[in-house]
Amino acid sequence: MFEWNVDQVEELKRLWAEGLPAAEIGRRMGGLSRNAIIGKVSRLDLPRRREAGKPRKIVSVPLIPLEGGVSFNDLKSHHCREIIGWDKAAMGLARYCGAPKVGGDSSYCRKHHQKNHIPVRVR
Ligand SMILES: [Zn+2]
């Protein structure tokens, strides 16, 4: 049976924490079997990982918990179209300002119309 020395245990812990698959860790550690790695990991009581090979990438989408505004589904023609955030409850769909539009051909309320349109100077 393979005898683990301290350096090897440390290396195992490091690679395990990086999320490498057990088989890959075994290969890097000089050709140990996947079972040898998993056996040692369980004896060391290392934190369990997702056994799906590579660690799943976490895509960070800034989801702002929102109050107010109008969801995509509730958006009506008179609502301001300014996107104020992303709706966690609605699978990340945009959430809109929803204040009444200023009118004319603007898609925004007064506040957002001013923000999105450079005022034309009247001479
Ligand atoms: Zn608005």
Side-chain angles (χ1 to χ4, degrees):
M1 188 171 169
F2 181 77
E3 290 293 331
W4 292 81
N5 67 34
V6 176
D7 288 345
Q8 288 164 328
V9 170
E10 286 308 309
E11 180 72 354
L12 169 63
K13 285 180 182 172
R14 193 179 64 77
L15 295 173
W16 183 257
E18 278 180 17
L20 288 174
E24 175 64 18
I25 296 174
R27 199 181 63 76
R28 291 196 187 191
M29 297 193 60
L32 295 176
S33 72
R34 181 176 176 277
N35 283 341
I37 300 301
I38 288 174
K40 187 63 178 172
V41 162
S42 65
R43 282 193 297 280
L44 288 169
D45 207 20
L46 294 181
R48 289 177 71 90
R49 308 179 314 181
R50 189 188 302 282
E51 256 309 306
K54 295 190 182 95
R56 193 171 286 184
K57 285 217 175 80
I58 296 163
V59 181
S60 67
V61 179
L63 288 177
I64 307 152
L66 288 171
E67 290 166 23
V70 173
S71 74
F72 180 78
N73 292 327
D74 296 331
L75 196 66
K76 299 286 191 300
S77 60
H78 64 274
H79 283 143
C80 169
R81 292 291 195 275
E82 178 77 4
I83 293 173
I84 59 170
W86 306 96
D87 207 334
K88 217 170 203 170
M91 294 161 64
L93 286 174
R95 198 160 178 90
Y96 299 88
C97 166
K101 289 182 188 174
V102 287
D105 58 357
S106 175
S107 300
Y108 303 101
C109 67
R110 184 176 303 279
K111 185 177 93 179
H112 289 127
H113 183 80
Q114 284 171 353
K115 181 188 145 201
N116 292 322
H117 295 266
I118 298 158
V120 179
R121 281 182 193 279
V122 179
R123 288 171 193 268

